[in-house]
Structure formats: C-alpha cells, structure tokens
C-alpha cells in the first residue's frame, strides 16, 4: 500500500472529496491541516510549489488538486 498524505484545510470541499474517496476505497492516509500546522504548510509548498489545497502525495508523486482519475492512476486502482 502506498504512503499517502493529503495537505488540506477544514473548509476545502475538494480535500473532503479526496479523503472521502480514499475512505470509501479503504485506503489509509495521513491528513495534514495546513491552516493550523505551519510546518506542514512549508512542507507542502516545498514539495509542490503550490499554496492551494488539496495537495496529495502518493509515495513520491505529487497530485495538485483533486482528480479521481489521477488518484486512481497513482494508486493503481
């Protein structure tokens, strides 16, 4: 199973959609709330070059925004 991190904020609907997709497919992930965790925010920007959420990290692959197709491809499902 790949290592998945979702950089998110509580008010982001696309973050919620991404997390719901993973939960529905029984795929474990770690959520980092960049609105409260400045270290996670710095980490996200360094990895993605983006300030917007969601940023989804699947192992070493970065997905910017929520795309079910891209997420399925990265997960091999």
């Amino acid at each position: 199973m790949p290592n998945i991190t979702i950089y998110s904020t509580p008010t982001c609907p696309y973050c919620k959609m991404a997390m719901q997709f993973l939960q529905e497919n029984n795929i474990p992930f770690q959520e980092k709330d960049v609105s409260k965790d400045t270290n996670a925010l710095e980490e996200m920007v360094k990895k993605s070059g983006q300030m917007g959420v969601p940023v989804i990290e699947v192992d070493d692959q970065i997905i910017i925004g929520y795309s079910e197709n891209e997420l399925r491809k990265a997960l091999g499902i």
Side-chain angles (χ1 to χ4, degrees):
M1 191 60 63
N3 208 5
I4 302 169
T5 303
I6 298 181
Y7 297 90
S8 67
T9 63
T11 58
C12 168
Y14 294 104
C15 301
K16 290 177 181 155
M17 289 168 62
M19 290 185 277
Q20 182 177 351
F21 170 80
L22 293 170
Q23 289 167 344
E24 287 172 355
N25 287 281
N26 297 314
I27 299 169
F29 63 92
Q30 177 184 15
E31 178 186 8
K32 292 189 178 183
D33 181 350
V34 299
S35 71
K36 295 178 182 158
D37 185 341
T38 55
N39 290 331
L41 176 61
E42 290 173 15
E43 185 179 289
M44 177 188 81
V45 172
K46 186 176 180 181
K47 290 180 179 187
S48 70
Q50 300 292 312
M51 289 291 291
V53 290
V55 170
I56 305 167
E57 183 177 18
V58 179
D59 288 330
D60 293 326
Q61 181 181 350
I62 298 293
I63 301 170
I64 297 166
Y66 172 62
S67 166
E68 185 177 323
N69 288 337
E70 279 193 52
L71 200 48
R72 284 183 180 279
K73 189 172 154 185
L75 296 168
I77 58 171

